[in-house]
Amino acid sequence: MRIDKLLSEMGICSRTECKKAAKAGKICVDGIPVKAADIHVDPEKSTVTYFGETVKYKKFTYIMLNKPEGYISATDDPREKTVLELLGEREQKLGLFPCGRLDKNTLGLLILTNNGELCHRLLSPKHHVSKVYYFKAERHITEDDRKRLESGVMLDNELTKPASLSLCDDKMSGHLTLTEGKFHQVMRMLEAVCNKVIYLERVEFAGIPLDTSLERGKWRELTADEEKHLESFLK
Ligand code: URA
């Protein structure tokens, strides 16, 4: 691939900056300065450095964010703070977008990626990818409520898919596992049994748990195993 494409895709520099850096001898391929920005390199086989820093090429990037309150799951917005603003300067240039949405005041695990095909697969209702939410409710959840939440309540004129609910001892909080992602689904499911969500946090997505060492508002790249696990949904 062209070296300027590689560097701009990795969020290192713009194509114009690449041209300048190449002219100044600041880009090397296997230790040899390149003079032009349009030369081709095989990023799997060659070592590219930019101002002495080795550039690691990855076709796709996957980020785990521990979303705080007050941010919307969007890439840009004229009024609201977006989850993209929580990433680093380089990561903001990688074309990442949130894989699904968490409401502005929902906390926890949000995956961001630039792999559109995988994101589509993970969100497609056909594939029943699981999401686990920890919630606190305003009132006790009765055994009857639990059965209704698990077997399906009416939202948007259809029954929600079977869910699994594990209640904490206080019967006012617990973990709800869903395999679909309707708008405000957890909040509306609780409303359907005459209750109200007062705290909501996603703790797992597609079998990947939220890394509890990640502080609220912080992010990290997925590990190689987590990436492999997510990409297995494409097979
Ligand atoms: N369900 C909700 O109600 N809100 C979210 O953010 C996610 C699931």
Short mmCIF file of all heavy atoms in Angstrom, two decimals, residues 101-104 106 133 178 182-188 197 200 202, ligand 1:
data_model
loop_
_atom_site.label_atom_id
_atom_site.label_comp_id
_atom_site.label_asym_id
_atom_site.label_seq_id
_atom_site.Cartn_x
_atom_site.Cartn_y
_atom_site.Cartn_z
N ARG A 101 -25.24 1.59 20.55
CA ARG A 101 -25.41 2.82 21.34
C ARG A 101 -25.65 2.52 22.81
O ARG A 101 -26.32 1.54 23.13
CB ARG A 101 -26.69 3.53 20.91
CG ARG A 101 -26.55 4.42 19.76
CD ARG A 101 -27.94 4.68 19.22
NE ARG A 101 -27.82 5.17 17.86
CZ ARG A 101 -27.91 6.44 17.54
NH1 ARG A 101 -28.13 7.34 18.45
NH2 ARG A 101 -27.77 6.81 16.29
N LEU A 102 -25.13 3.41 23.64
CA LEU A 102 -25.58 3.46 25.02
C LEU A 102 -26.19 4.84 25.18
O LEU A 102 -25.68 5.82 24.62
CB LEU A 102 -24.41 3.29 25.99
CG LEU A 102 -23.77 1.89 26.05
CD1 LEU A 102 -22.60 1.89 27.03
CD2 LEU A 102 -24.78 0.84 26.46
N ASP A 103 -27.27 4.94 25.94
CA ASP A 103 -27.90 6.24 26.16
C ASP A 103 -26.91 7.18 26.85
O ASP A 103 -25.96 6.74 27.49
CB ASP A 103 -29.15 6.09 27.03
CG ASP A 103 -30.21 5.26 26.32
OD1 ASP A 103 -30.22 5.23 25.08
OD2 ASP A 103 -31.03 4.64 27.03
N LYS A 104 -27.24 8.47 26.75
CA LYS A 104 -26.34 9.49 27.31
C LYS A 104 -25.95 9.20 28.77
O LYS A 104 -24.80 9.37 29.16
CB LYS A 104 -27.05 10.85 27.20
CG LYS A 104 -26.21 12.02 27.59
CD LYS A 104 -26.93 13.31 27.24
CE LYS A 104 -26.31 14.48 27.94
NZ LYS A 104 -27.08 15.71 27.74
N THR A 106 -26.23 6.20 30.32
CA THR A 106 -25.85 4.80 30.59
C THR A 106 -24.33 4.72 30.62
O THR A 106 -23.64 5.39 29.84
CB THR A 106 -26.41 3.86 29.50
OG1 THR A 106 -27.82 3.98 29.47
CG2 THR A 106 -26.05 2.41 29.78
N TYR A 133 -26.50 -6.16 31.07
CA TYR A 133 -26.65 -4.86 31.74
C TYR A 133 -26.83 -5.08 33.24
O TYR A 133 -27.63 -5.93 33.65
CB TYR A 133 -27.89 -4.13 31.21
CG TYR A 133 -27.76 -3.76 29.76
CD1 TYR A 133 -28.22 -4.62 28.77
CD2 TYR A 133 -27.16 -2.56 29.38
CE1 TYR A 133 -28.09 -4.29 27.43
CE2 TYR A 133 -27.03 -2.22 28.04
CZ TYR A 133 -27.50 -3.10 27.08
OH TYR A 133 -27.36 -2.77 25.75
N LEU A 178 -29.65 -9.50 27.33
CA LEU A 178 -30.52 -9.36 26.15
C LEU A 178 -29.78 -9.83 24.91
O LEU A 178 -28.55 -9.77 24.86
CB LEU A 178 -30.90 -7.89 25.94
CG LEU A 178 -31.56 -7.15 27.10
CD1 LEU A 178 -31.83 -5.70 26.69
CD2 LEU A 178 -32.86 -7.83 27.50
N LYS A 182 -33.18 -2.89 21.20
CA LYS A 182 -34.19 -1.88 20.87
C LYS A 182 -33.85 -0.57 21.58
O LYS A 182 -33.19 -0.58 22.62
CB LYS A 182 -35.57 -2.34 21.33
CG LYS A 182 -36.14 -3.50 20.54
CD LYS A 182 -37.51 -3.83 21.09
CE LYS A 182 -38.11 -5.05 20.45
NZ LYS A 182 -38.41 -4.88 19.04
N PHE A 183 -34.38 0.51 21.05
CA PHE A 183 -34.18 1.84 21.62
C PHE A 183 -34.59 1.85 23.10
O PHE A 183 -35.70 1.41 23.43
CB PHE A 183 -35.04 2.82 20.80
CG PHE A 183 -34.93 4.24 21.21
CD1 PHE A 183 -33.73 4.92 21.09
CD2 PHE A 183 -36.04 4.91 21.70
CE1 PHE A 183 -33.63 6.25 21.46
CE2 PHE A 183 -35.96 6.24 22.08
CZ PHE A 183 -34.75 6.91 21.96
N HIS A 184 -33.71 2.30 23.98
CA HIS A 184 -33.97 2.38 25.43
C HIS A 184 -34.52 1.06 25.97
O HIS A 184 -35.42 1.04 26.82
CB HIS A 184 -35.02 3.45 25.74
CG HIS A 184 -34.57 4.86 25.47
ND1 HIS A 184 -33.28 5.28 25.54
CD2 HIS A 184 -35.30 5.97 25.17
CE1 HIS A 184 -33.20 6.58 25.27
NE2 HIS A 184 -34.42 7.01 25.02
N GLN A 185 -33.99 -0.06 25.47
CA GLN A 185 -34.67 -1.33 25.76
C GLN A 185 -34.80 -1.66 27.25
O GLN A 185 -35.87 -2.04 27.71
CB GLN A 185 -33.99 -2.49 25.02
CG GLN A 185 -34.73 -3.80 25.28
CD GLN A 185 -34.54 -4.83 24.21
OE1 GLN A 185 -33.99 -4.51 23.16
NE2 GLN A 185 -34.98 -6.04 24.46
N VAL A 186 -33.70 -1.53 27.99
CA VAL A 186 -33.78 -1.93 29.40
C VAL A 186 -34.75 -1.01 30.14
O VAL A 186 -35.62 -1.45 30.90
CB VAL A 186 -32.38 -1.91 30.06
CG1 VAL A 186 -32.49 -2.29 31.54
CG2 VAL A 186 -31.43 -2.85 29.33
N MET A 187 -34.63 0.29 29.88
CA MET A 187 -35.52 1.23 30.57
C MET A 187 -36.98 0.94 30.24
O MET A 187 -37.83 0.92 31.13
CB MET A 187 -35.15 2.66 30.20
CG MET A 187 -33.81 3.03 30.79
SD MET A 187 -33.59 4.77 30.95
CE MET A 187 -33.17 5.19 29.30
N ARG A 188 -37.25 0.68 28.98
CA ARG A 188 -38.65 0.45 28.60
C ARG A 188 -39.16 -0.91 29.10
O ARG A 188 -40.32 -1.06 29.40
CB ARG A 188 -38.81 0.58 27.08
CG ARG A 188 -38.62 2.04 26.63
CD ARG A 188 -39.16 2.27 25.25
NE ARG A 188 -38.43 1.52 24.26
CZ ARG A 188 -38.97 1.04 23.14
NH1 ARG A 188 -40.24 1.21 22.87
NH2 ARG A 188 -38.24 0.39 22.27
N VAL A 197 -35.83 2.30 35.83
CA VAL A 197 -34.39 2.12 35.98
C VAL A 197 -33.80 3.41 36.55
O VAL A 197 -34.06 4.50 36.04
CB VAL A 197 -33.73 1.83 34.60
CG1 VAL A 197 -32.21 1.89 34.71
CG2 VAL A 197 -34.17 0.48 34.06
N LEU A 200 -27.92 2.40 35.15
CA LEU A 200 -27.75 1.39 34.10
C LEU A 200 -26.31 1.38 33.61
O LEU A 200 -25.74 2.43 33.27
CB LEU A 200 -28.71 1.69 32.94
CG LEU A 200 -28.80 0.63 31.85
CD1 LEU A 200 -29.24 -0.73 32.42
CD2 LEU A 200 -29.80 1.06 30.77
N ARG A 202 -23.63 -1.15 31.15
CA ARG A 202 -23.40 -2.38 30.38
C ARG A 202 -22.10 -2.99 30.87
O ARG A 202 -21.07 -2.31 30.91
CB ARG A 202 -23.33 -2.09 28.88
CG ARG A 202 -23.16 -3.40 28.10
CD ARG A 202 -23.71 -3.33 26.72
NE ARG A 202 -22.95 -2.41 25.91
CZ ARG A 202 -23.36 -1.98 24.72
NH1 ARG A 202 -24.52 -2.38 24.24
NH2 ARG A 202 -22.64 -1.15 24.02
N1 URA B 1 -31.12 -0.09 27.30
C1 URA B 1 -31.39 1.18 27.68
O1 URA B 1 -32.49 1.48 28.11
N2 URA B 1 -30.40 2.08 27.55
C2 URA B 1 -29.18 1.79 27.11
O2 URA B 1 -28.31 2.66 27.03
C3 URA B 1 -28.91 0.45 26.73
C4 URA B 1 -29.90 -0.47 26.83
#
